[in-house]
Amino acid sequence: MQGKLITVEGVEGVGKSTNIEFIAQRLRAADINVVLTREPGGTPLAEDIRQLLLTPRDEAVSETAELLLMFAARAQHINEVIRPALQRGDWVLCDRFTDATYAYQGGGREMGFDTIAVLENLVQGELRPHCTVLLDAPIAIGMARAKKRGALDRFEQEQMDFFERVRQAYLQLAQQQPQRFRVINAAQSLDLVQADIASGIEELLAQAKP
């Protein structure tokens, strides 16, 4: 079976961590080797960049610097983790990927999609996710959950209108690429969320069979 890249996206507090583990369990039950990873991060260098990006600081961070750091981490991640895993036939399950850059920098920071698309092609070539699970919920719900986790990182400290733009950018991407995205109502109970996710994973497994 050919390796596949599955990404899980969504704003803060939509339950990505819980549902990534659920997806991993479903794939392993189908005898698939799963590589769990995240962005920004996934390698020692990329994790260092993650800390640079997420740590609150007094210095204002240039939007362009933020965008380039995201893709610097991604370039290392793809080279060291994602491509080798796919070449082995493993399935990569990634907590956020380039759609997050379109949503957070393109939408949230209002940088637009064009520059991001150029960097995406430069860094990734033809590599794109085979399936993207977008956990979607009203921002008020997600942020209320996120605040219960403790101290907020640099992104989580943004204002509500920032996250509204992020959410709308995600939904725009899903509308543009319905064949890749599976939008899940993350405001439902966990049982219903995971039932919807399981349906999508079963479809993907069926498509992957020789």
Side-chain angles (χ1 to χ4, degrees):
M1 193 180 292
Q2 183 181 3
K4 292 192 179 297
L5 172 60
I6 301 175
T7 58
V8 180
E9 299 281 358
V11 298
E12 282 66 17
V14 292
K16 285 189 294 88
S17 298
T18 299
N19 289 300
I20 285 169
E21 184 54 41
F22 173 76
I23 294 169
Q25 291 173 0
R26 299 288 296 212
L27 294 176
R28 288 169 181 146
D31 293 325
I32 289 173
N33 290 325
V34 181
V35 175
L36 285 171
T37 190
R38 68 177 182 178
E39 287 214 347
T43 80
L45 174 58
E47 290 290 336
D48 286 347
I49 296 172
R50 178 186 181 90
Q51 288 304 310
L52 288 174
L53 284 162
L54 298 189
T55 301
R57 62 186 70 245
D58 294 332
E59 177 187 9
V61 179
S62 157
E63 294 168 353
T64 302
E66 182 179 278
L67 176 63
L68 293 173
L69 283 169
M70 288 289 183
F71 272 103
R74 183 163 297 131
Q76 186 72 5
H77 188 208
I78 289 170
N79 188 66
E80 295 298 316
V81 175
I82 295 177
R83 285 196 192 282
L86 295 176
Q87 289 167 359
R88 292 193 303 268
D90 295 342
W91 286 34
V92 178
L93 180 55
C94 191
D95 182 345
R96 294 203 175 115
F97 195 58
T98 309
D99 293 310
T101 306
Y102 279 107
Y104 280 78
Q105 282 71 49
R109 302 285 187 222
E110 299 182 281
M111 298 183 74
F113 287 2
D114 290 349
T115 300
I116 297 170
V118 171
L119 291 169
E120 180 180 34
N121 289 326
L122 173 67
V123 169
Q124 297 171 216
E126 297 298 315
L127 177 65
R128 299 292 185 276
H130 296 88
C131 174
T132 296
V133 176
L134 174 58
L135 297 167
D136 178 62
I139 297 302
I141 292 175
M143 291 310 298
R145 293 173 180 171
K147 288 176 181 176
K148 292 179 181 178
R149 298 197 300 245
L152 302 179
D153 66 33
R154 189 172 66 86
F155 286 94
E156 291 169 340
Q157 292 177 2
E158 291 289 345
Q159 300 300 309
M160 295 291 280
D161 60 347
F162 172 86
F163 292 108
E164 289 289 355
R165 292 194 298 272
V166 171
R167 183 189 182 199
Q168 292 307 313
Y170 269 133
L171 293 173
Q172 179 182 341
L173 291 166
Q175 187 177 37
Q176 290 172 347
Q177 303 176 65
Q179 73 286 354
R180 174 164 70 86
F181 276 84
R182 190 171 186 93
V183 182
I184 305 294
N185 177 7
Q188 310 177 90
S189 69
L190 182 60
D191 286 346
L192 290 175
V193 168
Q194 293 187 338
D196 286 347
I197 291 173
S199 174
I201 295 303
E202 292 306 315
E203 287 179 17
L204 193 62
L205 289 170
Q207 293 168 6
K209 289 181 180 178

